[in-house]
Structure formats: structure tokens, C-alpha cells
Amino acid sequence: GQQLNQSPQSMFIQEGEDVSMNCTSSSIFNTWLWYKQDPGEGPVLLIALYKAGELTSNGRLTAQFGTTRKDSFLNISASIPSDVGIYFCAGQSDYGGATNKLIFGTGTLLAVQP
Amino acid sequence: GAVVSQHPSRVICKSGTSVKIECRSLDFQATTMFWYRQFPKKSLMLMATSNEGSKATYEQGVEKDKFLINHASLTLSTLTVTSAHPEDSSFYICSARVARDYGYTFGSGTRLTVV
């Protein structure tokens, strides 16, 4: 199936450091979403982006919808141990309607050392 | 907020048997639900889109007769893995979306182990 390219694949950082990850696609998306998944759980939505160029924050998290609509990035500032998990981007390409499906990125594993 | 309940969270079954996984939207009606499969340390791969009152739409490469999807009501979709084999062992996750709402809420997943 189709997937988005997400980088880096993994990150091992010290508590307090900032984190940046990005997602790129060869095709245009109208919506970009960022999720966090803990082991054995389903993904939890962190940030949703609906307009090209949009910059949205959720606490220490900031995400941007690229102007070309083919990329997005997520920043986490001042990381803490509970930020550990796998982060996925997801894109939705169809416009409108109720049956649009999400395409997921390959994921970024984040490990935070206290 | 919207809550999606998935059951069971874990199931172990013998080869050749069938397993049913339920996905329920608890506080909203979901005209569309999605079923994903996730292998260890891999991303979520969409298997099918479940539409209330009509046939599911399967992604390329997903066997319709093996992964039966039923979406008989606005709050329940089921995925039945028929004649399960060890290679069907995986983490299955459902997602629900309210019509005209762009939020996607995920269930907590079902760990299927076929022995």
C-alpha cells in the first residue's frame, strides 16, 4: 500500500532537547495529521492541519502544513520522558466527502533519556 | 470527545479457525470505519474502508474472502479473519470517522496471534 516517507526513522535524545521530524509525499494532500502511538495501543491524534502553510501548536508540539502540500513537519520542544513513542504523520488526499482514507507515514521512533 | 472501542484487545486462536474483532463508536455515529493492519515496528497499512449499509472497499492485495467486514449499524463494524493462519498474526486497528467531520479516532487495537 501507499506510504508517506517520514524521517528520521528513529531518534535518541536527552531530556530537554528539541525534536524535529518531517514527512514528504510525491502527491498532494489536503489534510495532514500527526499521531503518537504507544506500544500496544492505537494512534492518538496530536495535531491536525487543514490549510497549506498552516502552523499549529498543541502545547510543546508545533506542526506545519507545507506550502506545496506535499510535506509537513512536527517539532517537539523541551522533550520529556513521556514523549517516548512512535510518531506517525498521515495524509488525506481526497477533498470533501465522508469516506476519505488516511495514508500513514513510515513512523519515527523517539527515545528520550532522562 | 469521540471514543472508539475495540474488542478484544488480545486473542489467540488455532490455525484454521475464524476470529471476529469488533469496533464500536461509543458516543457518535460513524458512517465510515477503517480497518488497519500493523506489523511490529511498522506503519499502519489500510486494509479496507467499511461503509454502513453497503459493501466494504478493500485495498489492493487484501483478500475480501479472508477478511470479512460487516458494518450493519452506525456504531458497529466487525472484521472477521477467516481460516486464520500464523501469517495473519498481527495488530489490527480500527478507526471511525463522523460524516462531515474530519476527525479520525482510533481504537486501542487487537493483537491477534494464530498458533
Side-chain angles (χ1 to χ4, degrees), chain B residues 19-87:
Chain B
V19 173
K20 180 184 285 187
I21 302 170
E22 295 186 347
C23 182
R24 295 180 183 273
S25 57
L26 296 187
D27 49 1
F28 67 101
Q29 293 182 330
T31 56
T32 304
M33 291 185 175
F34 303 89
W35 287 96
Y36 294 84
R37 183 173 182 176
Q38 186 178 31
F39 291 105
K41 299 183 180 180
K42 297 294 184 181
S43 186
L44 284 75
M45 299 300 295
L46 181 66
M47 298 174 66
T49 301
S50 173
N51 303 299
E52 187 270 333
S54 64
K55 292 182 179 180
T57 304
Y58 289 81
E59 294 299 300
Q60 189 173 6
V62 178
E63 299 177 60
K64 300 179 183 181
D65 295 333
K66 179 153 189 71
F67 299 100
L68 299 179
I69 291 174
N70 184 280
H71 194 157
S73 77
L74 286 169
T75 59
L76 174 64
S77 175
T78 60
L79 169 68
T80 301
V81 182
T82 62
S83 186
H85 291 284
E87 57 264 32

Side-chain angles (χ1 to χ4, degrees), chain A residues 70-91:
Chain A
K70 293 183 178 181
D71 62 342
S72 177
F73 73 75
L74 174 71
N75 286 344
I76 304 173
S77 63
S79 59
I80 59 178
S82 62
D83 290 334
V84 166
I86 302 178
Y87 291 79
F88 290 102
C89 62

Side-chain angles (χ1 to χ4, degrees), chain B residues 88-110:
Chain B
D88 297 325
S89 298
S90 190
F91 193 54
Y92 294 87
I93 311 173
C94 69
S95 172
R97 183 166 179 263
V98 180
R100 299 182 183 176
D101 185 296
Y102 290 94
Y104 295 82
T105 302
F106 285 82
S108 55
T110 297

